Amino acid sequence: MLNNLTSNLDFQSKALLVRAERQRVIAGNIANADTPGFAARDLNFKDAMAAATGGGALQPSKSGAAGSTTHSKHIPLTGTAGGAFGGNAQLGYVVQTQPSLDGNSVDLDQERANFVDNAVRYEATLRFINGGAKTILSAIQGQ
């Protein structure tokens, strides 16, 4: 019975970790907006949640190719995204909308919008967790 009560909290806690990891990736993109040759990265939330919850295979994201190799001598790209929540999610590359002369693919306006959107969703996930915890506490206390 306790599993039924906490299963929603478990899902939300994994979503919170994925949101935090995506926030870290976006912040890294913003920090490197002036770095010549820097390739912007992103974490596909849907794929990362599927990997974190163990539901389904990881598919390449629409925002870019996942880190895989086409030749045995290539070094595979490894994202740090999977480390935070135990999944196999890898970072994809953001599709460049406006090419720059220095090879940097960070669109600062888009990254700022993604940062704010992800922060709002992070806050909403925190509120779901707090609401769920309060509901469980009320049930335990019999109120």
Side-chain angles (χ1 to χ4, degrees), residues 29-139:
N29 289 343
I30 292 172
N32 288 297
D34 293 330
T35 304
F38 181 79
R41 310 292 302 264
D42 199 3
L43 178 69
N44 186 323
F45 183 79
K46 181 180 175 183
D47 294 344
M49 276 304 294
T53 57
L58 198 62
Q59 299 294 324
S61 65
K62 291 180 180 178
S63 60
S68 62
T69 61
T70 56
H71 191 271
S72 62
K73 293 185 178 180
H74 291 170
I75 299 171
L77 298 174
T78 57
T80 57
F85 47 85
N88 294 325
Q90 296 179 355
L91 298 177
Y93 289 99
V94 175
V95 176
Q96 190 173 9
T97 56
Q98 285 187 318
S100 64
L101 294 176
D102 63 357
N104 188 313
S105 67
V106 175
D107 181 358
L108 200 52
D109 292 334
Q110 185 63 44
E111 294 298 331
R112 286 182 185 144
N114 288 343
F115 190 88
V116 170
D117 178 67
N118 197 57
V120 168
R121 293 174 191 265
Y122 182 90
E123 178 68 26
T125 304
L126 272 178
R127 289 180 189 246
F128 282 129
I129 290 173
N130 284 337
K134 286 179 184 176
T135 302
I136 291 172
L137 185 62
S138 294

